[in-house]
């Protein structure tokens, strides 16, 4: 079973690299809850397709199902890079409905949101295992990046030999510290941005084309 | 003593395993319970026989034999046993084999009681069937002695399963345990993936979730969740 799956994975990956010009790479946007993943996904989608990917919210776990935006064409230096963007639910090791109660949510809604968020984490981990060709890892640069979740996820991504781009989001916030992220994950290039404000998006697209083109 | 075969009248000690596989003598499987108080009065027959079975196995060692005989004689005295031929023979053997001082005491008792017993026997023998008397005599004969160990061994064969009652349940348990273990491991694996502290509160093991081939589709409120197997997931 595992062997078969692995075999099939490697075949599909080999096939995807063979036909890379035809099949857009599927880039998963990963990160902890409330890092700005959906804001970034919407920014990219709006910039290049005119559509949004999904609703954004300051309430954590707004995205509880992976959402995909296909055939996003990004033009860099006269070259077109086509990717599928997968906006994934925020990955965490604990989901507690009481956290949502602080956001004026009824208990029933909070419990349901919590359950869906947990399903979403499971789904995100599953996508990471089988269905992404590269990862954009979004971190809130105003918070401590050195967490168990971040270390584990980046470790998994590295073990999969997936290309990963670390984005230090929310540089518009005063508490933002891009250097803290660079220090935490020196083995990867860290690109600062504000997905909300659209700051430094040009460099982000350059790097996307470079990493996933 | 407390149990007696309703067919042939053979008596069995309380907790005797022999009767569990049917009466070794007649194969009967109905036994009546005879409390000790009644035993002392009514059944000389049963009393006579049970002492004897212990003897054959003990025949190997003289000490065991003498102890068995003394036990038999004491029971005979209490129950007014009719086993003159057997006890007489036993007593003779005991006296002949009993070289120790402690043995001397019991034969003395035997002999003194033997006389009283014979009187009682002559009285009771009239009222008893010849078949019963012969049955008792048969039991005592050396020919039967080897048989009784056999019955013992047979009974042991029957017993080991029965006596090992704790064991047979264990065996099925052992056969079931692997399944249970697998189940537990499976459950543990699941709990390692997502632990439901209470509805709405979850702990997630990201590595477990990542390592799973199955894809968790939906969590139920009771803590269960449905999964999608890789084959169906991958179209």
């Amino acid at each position: 079973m595992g062997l078969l799956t692995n075999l099939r994975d490697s075949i599909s990956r080999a096939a995807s690299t063979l036909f890379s010009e035809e099949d857009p790479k599927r880039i998963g946007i990963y990160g902890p809850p409330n890092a700005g993943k959906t804001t970034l996904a919407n920014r990219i989608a709006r910039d290049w397709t005119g559509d949004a990917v999904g609703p954004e919210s300051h309430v954590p776990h707004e995205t509880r199902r992976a959402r995909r935006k296909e055939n996003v064409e990004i033009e860099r230096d006269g070259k077109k890079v086509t990717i599928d963007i997968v906006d994934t639910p925020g990955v965490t090791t604990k989901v507690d409905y009481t956290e949502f109660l602080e956001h004026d949510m009824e208990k029933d809604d909070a419990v349901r949101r919590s359950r869906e968020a947990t399903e979403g984490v499971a789904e995100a981990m599953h996508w990471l295992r089988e269905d992404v060709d590269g990862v954009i890892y979004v971190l809130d640069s105003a918070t401590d990046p050195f967490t168990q979740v971040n270390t584990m996820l980046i470790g998994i991504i590295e073990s999969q030999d997936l290309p990963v781009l670390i984005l230090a989001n929310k540089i518009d916030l005063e508490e933002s510290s891009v250097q803290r992220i660079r220090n935490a994950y020196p083995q990867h290039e860290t690109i600062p941005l504000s997905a909300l404000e659209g700051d430094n998006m040009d460099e982000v697209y350059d790097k996307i084309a470079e990493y996933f083109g | 003593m407390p149990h007696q075969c309703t067919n042939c009248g053979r008596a069995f000690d309380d907790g005797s395993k022999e009767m569990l596989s049917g009466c070794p003598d007649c194969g009967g499987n109905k036994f009546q319970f005879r409390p000790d108080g009644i035993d002392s009065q009514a059944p000389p027959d049963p009393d006579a026989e049970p002492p004897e079975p212990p003897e054959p196995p003990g025949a190997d060692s003289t000490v065991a034999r003498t102890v068995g005989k003394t036990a038999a004689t004491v029971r005979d005295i209490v129950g007014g046993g009719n086993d003159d031929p057997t006890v007489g023979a036993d007593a003779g053997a005991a006296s002949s084999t009993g070289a120790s001082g402690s043995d001397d005491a019991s034969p003395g008792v035997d002999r003194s009681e033997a006389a009283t017993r014979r009187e009682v026997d002559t009285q009771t023998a009239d009222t008893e069937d010849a078949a019963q008397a012969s049955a008792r005599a048969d039991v005592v004969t050396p020919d039967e002695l080897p048989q009784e160990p056999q019955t013992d061994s047979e009974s042991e064969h029957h017993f080991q399963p029965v006596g090992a009652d704790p064991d047979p349940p264990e065996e099925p348990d052992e056969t079931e345990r692997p399944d249970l273990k697998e189940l537990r491991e499976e459950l543990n694996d699941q709990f390692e993936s997502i632990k439901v502290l209470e509805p709405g509160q979850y702990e997630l093991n990201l590595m477990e979730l990542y390592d799973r081939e199955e894809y968790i589709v939906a969590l139920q409120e009771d803590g269960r969740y449905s999964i999608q197997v890789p084959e169906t997931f991958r179209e």
Side-chain angles (χ1 to χ4, degrees):
Chain A
M1 188 90 143
L3 280 175
L4 278 178
T5 311
N6 289 341
L7 187 64
R8 206 158 36 180
D9 279 354
S10 55
I11 289 172
S12 66
R13 286 201 179 166
S16 70
T17 52
L18 276 177
F19 305 107
S20 57
E21 287 184 7
E22 298 172 14
D23 292 344
K25 283 191 177 161
R26 197 175 285 167
I27 308 304
I29 299 179
Y30 278 85
N34 248 17
K37 297 178 293 299
T38 304
T39 306
L40 173 70
N42 283 339
R43 167 72 59 183
I44 297 172
R46 283 199 190 104
D47 282 355
W48 301 100
T49 70
D51 295 331
V53 172
E56 305 160 20
S57 169
H58 65 286
V59 183
H61 295 292
E62 180 66 25
T63 305
R64 300 185 292 283
R65 283 289 176 212
R67 294 199 188 91
R68 187 162 28 157
K69 188 73 183 171
E70 294 181 328
N71 295 314
V72 178
E73 287 188 355
I74 298 174
E75 278 189 35
R76 299 322 282 175
D77 300 332
K79 248 178 73 178
K80 275 190 182 176
V81 177
T82 306
I83 56 172
D84 290 349
I85 294 173
V86 182
D87 181 28
T88 67
V91 175
T92 182
T93 53
K94 273 188 182 177
V95 182
D96 189 342
Y97 74 94
T98 56
E99 181 187 357
F100 306 134
L101 296 178
E102 299 165 6
H103 297 275
D104 292 335
M105 204 176 286
E106 292 297 321
K107 188 188 173 185
D108 287 351
D109 293 337
V111 168
R112 191 186 320 117
R113 187 185 183 94
S114 177
R115 194 174 68 238
E116 291 172 357
T118 304
E119 294 168 3
V121 175
E123 186 182 17
M125 296 308 292
H126 189 82
W127 276 80
L128 184 57
R129 179 192 169 96
E130 302 198 350
D131 294 290
V132 294
D133 303 307
V135 172
I136 295 173
Y137 201 82
V138 182
L139 288 166
D140 178 353
S141 62
T143 62
D144 182 7
F146 203 74
T147 65
Q148 186 189 3
V149 169
N150 293 336
T151 306
M152 192 182 296
L153 272 184
I154 289 172
I156 289 173
I157 292 162
E158 288 170 350
S159 72
Q160 289 272 71
D161 283 330
L162 292 172
V164 57
L165 188 60
I166 294 184
L167 300 187
N169 195 22
K170 304 192 185 183
I171 57 170
D172 55 305
L173 298 180
E174 275 186 20
E175 317 89 273
S176 166
S177 169
V178 177
Q179 192 57 43
R180 194 163 46 177
I181 295 175
R182 288 201 174 105
N183 292 343
Y185 305 101
Q187 70 274 33
H188 297 286
E189 193 173 3
T190 299
I191 315 297
L193 82 153
S194 168
L196 186 65
E197 303 293 332
D199 297 342
N200 203 33
M201 287 307 295
D202 275 343
E203 189 185 3
V204 170
Y205 292 134
D206 286 343
K207 290 297 175 185
I208 287 176
E210 181 186 332
Y211 275 67
F212 312 119
Chain B
M1 300 158 55
H3 303 282
Q4 186 179 24
C5 176
T6 56
N7 191 32
C8 70
R10 174 162 178 168
F12 301 89
D13 288 330
D14 193 12
S16 166
K17 297 172 180 177
E18 284 178 299
M19 49 187 277
L20 293 176
S21 53
C23 178
D25 287 349
C26 69
N29 55 8
K30 286 182 184 173
F31 305 91
Q32 64 174 339
F33 178 70
R34 288 186 167 276
D36 288 334
I38 298 176
D39 277 346
S40 59
Q41 302 169 352
D45 311 353
D47 285 346
E49 296 183 5
E52 289 154 11
E55 289 172 13
D60 296 337
S61 67
T62 56
V63 175
R65 203 194 297 166
T66 50
V67 170
K69 283 160 205 154
T70 47
T73 50
V74 169
R75 283 172 190 167
D76 288 342
I77 296 163
V78 173
N82 304 320
D83 302 337
D84 281 353
T86 67
V87 173
D90 290 340
S95 58
S96 63
T97 56
S100 67
S102 64
D103 289 335
D104 293 340
S106 59
V109 174
D110 279 354
R111 285 168 192 164
S112 63
E113 293 299 332
T116 57
R117 245 182 284 135
R118 279 171 193 159
E119 294 174 3
V120 176
D121 289 341
T122 49
Q123 292 173 356
T124 55
D126 297 339
T127 60
E128 283 181 0
D129 294 342
Q132 287 178 334
S134 68
R136 284 184 212 107
D138 289 342
V139 173
V140 185
T141 56
D143 294 341
E144 288 223 7
L145 297 183
Q147 285 178 359
E148 292 200 0
Q150 284 175 2
T151 58
D152 283 346
S153 64
E154 285 171 10
S155 64
E156 280 177 2
H157 283 300
H158 293 297
F159 290 135
Q160 281 176 345
V162 178
D165 271 343
D167 293 340
E170 282 177 6
E171 288 172 9
D173 279 352
E174 284 172 1
T175 56
E176 288 172 12
R177 267 172 195 165
D179 296 340
L180 286 174
K181 273 184 183 173
E182 285 175 14
L183 251 175
R184 281 199 196 103
E185 283 174 3
E186 219 177 290
L187 286 170
N188 282 338
D189 286 347
Q190 291 173 356
F191 288 137
E192 282 173 17
S193 299
I194 297 176
K195 188 176 183 181
V196 184
L197 302 175
E198 66 176 80
Q201 289 184 321
Y202 305 93
E203 282 182 5
L204 300 94
N205 185 330
L206 300 182
M207 280 309 295
E208 281 290 325
L209 286 170
Y210 172 74
D211 282 338
R212 292 182 75 92
E213 286 189 17
E214 305 87 357
Y215 163 45
I216 294 172
V217 177
L219 285 166
Q220 311 295 325
E221 288 185 7
D222 58 3
R224 300 179 181 183
Y225 51 75
S226 50
I227 60 171
Q228 202 164 21
V229 294
E231 283 78 5
T232 55
F233 181 77
R234 304 188 120 258
E235 301 168 22

